């Protein structure tokens, strides 16, 4: 087997990534080596590529980045018996401690000691990735590799969109990034009556429409309240999924929720974001923060929903070879993109 490989490495503090030759990791006890077939670019990767203030604080170069991927088992570390060589897998990007109170109660997504693949340790934008076997997720062959390549982000959408029951409900999704767009499809699949999606980017609103949104709204140009009337909403939205990270969008959501409504918050709101608490307290709203994916209930539903007919293909807008990674990041930075996939076949 080869001993060195290509990888996209943040070699130093600053903008960009370098396609480098690095050693192939050797799986230690309890770990597996995955040969990467395809990866997808996440917003977090874009932050690291652009070297924004969050990256400045959290990323320690040199490090291979990336955490959305599909591949096959290439080697098993000592003591790993659950997987076979060549088996098709993806993996959970949060490596949790396994013995804190939350981990032991089945709430590993709230583990205080989480380490992120491609954030706190070498990631998946490489020919090979090494992770603990507990993080490996086998994925059936009837789901296309392109779709599996962004299961991590799809999992964020599933976790948020299944936090509250949407069957027969009217749902507002603020933010039509890749995750909001997928959430629109998930809500329709799960029987929501109306799914209204807002974004300030028309390209992204068109993706939400393709994924089955009942109506899309650009709040800069249109009145959400008018669209609600057109859609037959009387008391407001029953369920809100905040997926923009915009304080303006979150406040608009709080204003348009019905009394007793439920809001799941995935978008990362800026520190100091101000809301009108009257809209929470007098309306009796429930607010739930969402982090990552439930281990591993979300993964179970992700696979099951695709097998029951959920089609995520409209969210894929760009495909590049890994050597063209700069074009991939350019597409992500342009805002004129959904999921951008990098192929790691030679
Ligand atoms: P994204 O940045 O691609 O999408 C956000 C969208 O919100 C953009 O299309 C943007 O145009 C839109 N937006 C901006 N202002 C708006 C406004 N006023 N009204 C409506 N829309 C507005 O992000 P993504 O990758 O789809 O992820 C969605 C959010 O979830 C991001 O904030 C991301 O940081 C966050 N996130 C959180 C977790 C978690 O575990 N909590 C995991 C992944 C992503
Ligand atoms: Zn833990």
């Amino acid at each position: 087997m080869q001993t060195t490989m290509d990888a996209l490495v943040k070699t130093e503090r600053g903008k960009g990534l370098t396609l480098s030759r690095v050693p192939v990791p050797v799986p230690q006890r309890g770990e597996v080596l995955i040969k990467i077939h395809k990866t997808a670019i996440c917003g977090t990767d874009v932050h690291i590529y652009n070297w924004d203030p969050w990256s400045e604080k959290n990323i320690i170069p040199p490090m291979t980045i990336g955490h959305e991927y599909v591949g096959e088992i290439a080697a098993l570390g000592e003591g790993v018996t659950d997987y076979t060589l060549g088996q098709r897998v993806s993996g959970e990007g949060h490596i949790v401690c396994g013995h804190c109170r939350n981990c032991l109660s089945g709430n590993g997504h709230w583990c205080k000691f989480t380490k992120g693949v491609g954030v706190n340790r070498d990631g998946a934008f490489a020919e090979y990735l090494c992770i603990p076997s507990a993080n490996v997720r086998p994925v059936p062959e009837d789901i296309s590799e392109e779709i599996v390549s962004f299961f991590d982000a799809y999992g964020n959408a599933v976790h948020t969109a299944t936090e509250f029951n949407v069957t027969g409900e009217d749902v507002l999704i603020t933010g039509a990034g890749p995750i909001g767009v997928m959430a629109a499809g998930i809500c329709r699949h799960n029987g929501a009556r109306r799914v209204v999606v807002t974004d300030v980017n028309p390209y992204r609103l068109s993706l939400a429409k393709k994924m089955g949104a009942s109506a899309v709204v650009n709040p800069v140009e249109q009145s959400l309240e008018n669209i609600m009337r057109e859609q037959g909403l009387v008391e407001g939205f029953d369920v809100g999924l905040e997926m923009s990270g915009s304080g303006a969008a979150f406040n608009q959501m709080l204003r348009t929720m019905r009394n007793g409504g439920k809001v799941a918050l995935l978008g990362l709101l800026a520190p100091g974001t101000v809301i009108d608490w009257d809209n929470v307290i007098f309306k009796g709203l429930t607010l739930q923060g969402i982090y990552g994916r439930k281990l591993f209930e979300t993964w179970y539903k992700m696979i099951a929903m695709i097998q029951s007919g959920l089609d995520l293909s409209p969210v894929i807008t760009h495909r590049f070879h890994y050597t063209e990674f700069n074009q991939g990041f350019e597409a992500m930075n342009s805002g004129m993109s959904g999921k951008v996939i990098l192929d790691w076949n030679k």
Side-chain angles (χ1 to χ4, degrees):
M1 197 175 131
Q2 67 192 81
T3 54
T4 62
M5 62 177 187
D6 281 351
L8 301 183
V9 183
K10 181 59 101 178
T11 50
E12 51 197 46
R13 309 176 71 80
K15 195 173 156 63
L17 286 172
T18 309
L19 178 55
S20 311
R21 265 331 259 183
V22 300
V24 174
V26 177
Q28 303 300 303
R29 190 177 173 77
E31 293 184 333
V32 301
L33 187 70
I34 297 171
K35 181 174 186 347
I36 298 296
H37 292 179
K38 288 186 194 311
T39 59
I41 303 178
C42 169
T44 303
D45 303 321
V46 180
H47 291 304
I48 301 173
Y49 182 90
N50 294 343
W51 201 248
D52 70 353
W54 174 86
S55 312
E56 183 82 53
K57 214 167 76 191
N58 291 287
I59 304 297
I60 305 172
M63 192 185 65
T64 299
I65 75 158
H67 54 271
E68 299 187 4
Y69 60 90
V70 58
E72 66 180 272
I73 300 280
L76 302 174
E78 208 188 316
V80 180
T81 53
D82 336 12
Y83 301 106
T84 51
L85 297 183
Q87 188 174 358
R88 127 91 82 89
V89 296
S90 184
E92 167 57 45
H94 291 174
I95 297 176
V96 299
C97 80
H99 44 254
C100 70
R101 180 176 182 178
N102 281 322
C103 282
L104 290 176
S105 60
N107 291 309
H109 55 299
W110 293 331
C111 176
K112 200 172 173 176
F113 309 102
T114 301
K115 295 261 178 291
V117 173
V119 175
N120 308 115
R121 56 182 270 159
D122 282 332
F125 289 175
E127 290 178 69
Y128 291 92
L129 167 72
C130 191
I131 57 166
S133 71
N135 281 65
V136 173
R137 290 289 94 199
V139 184
E141 301 275 346
D142 61 350
I143 304 177
S144 92
E145 287 219 320
E146 288 202 331
I147 302 288
V148 184
S149 74
F150 55 89
F151 258 27
D152 184 289
Y154 168 46
N156 294 137
V158 170
H159 185 179
T160 315
T162 58
E163 182 65 23
F164 299 115
N165 185 1
V166 298
T167 310
E169 305 288 354
D170 296 326
V171 181
L172 173 64
I173 299 173
T174 44
I179 299 180
V181 167
M182 287 189 272
I186 296 161
C187 291
R188 290 317 295 255
H189 186 75
N190 291 345
R193 180 171 62 173
R194 302 266 184 265
V195 179
V196 177
V197 181
T198 69
D199 202 299
V200 293
N201 174 335
Y203 178 90
R204 291 190 147 184
L205 288 175
S206 72
L207 290 181
K209 198 80 194 159
K210 279 192 200 152
M211 280 299 291
S214 335
V216 296
V217 181
N218 182 338
V220 177
E221 295 169 354
Q222 294 161 289
S223 148
L224 177 58
E225 285 77 2
N226 283 348
I227 306 284
M228 288 166 72
R229 268 190 294 279
E230 277 170 33
Q231 292 283 319
L233 271 77
V234 177
E235 294 182 36
F237 292 100
D238 304 300
V239 175
L241 311 179
E242 204 312 288
M243 301 187 147
S244 73
S246 151
F250 183 34
N251 273 296
Q252 184 168 45
M253 174 176 279
L254 295 175
R255 278 196 304 277
T256 52
M257 294 300 298
R258 88 169 156 86
N259 292 358
K262 297 182 162 66
V263 175
L265 293 159
L266 182 85
L268 306 180
L269 293 155
T273 299
V274 173
I275 62 167
D276 182 349
W277 285 98
D278 283 4
N279 282 329
V280 177
I281 295 160
F282 294 127
K283 288 177 128 180
L285 296 186
T286 302
L287 304 185
Q288 175 68 54
I290 305 287
Y291 185 53
R293 295 143 298 277
K294 282 188 184 163
L295 314 182
F296 285 90
E297 177 64 10
T298 302
W299 284 85
Y300 183 91
K301 287 204 189 279
M302 285 153 62
I303 292 171
M305 277 192 272
I306 290 178
Q307 290 178 325
S308 59
L310 175 65
D311 179 14
L312 295 176
S313 56
V315 79
I316 305 170
T317 57
H318 295 74
R319 298 167 174 90
F320 296 102
H321 191 249
Y322 73 90
T323 52
E324 305 167 313
F325 67 94
N326 278 317
Q327 290 176 58
F329 281 92
E330 218 173 277
M332 290 289 289
N333 268 323
S334 75
M336 307 286 275
S337 61
K339 284 315 288 188
V340 175
I341 295 174
L342 301 180
D343 191 330
W344 284 82
N345 291 307
K346 282 279 187 179

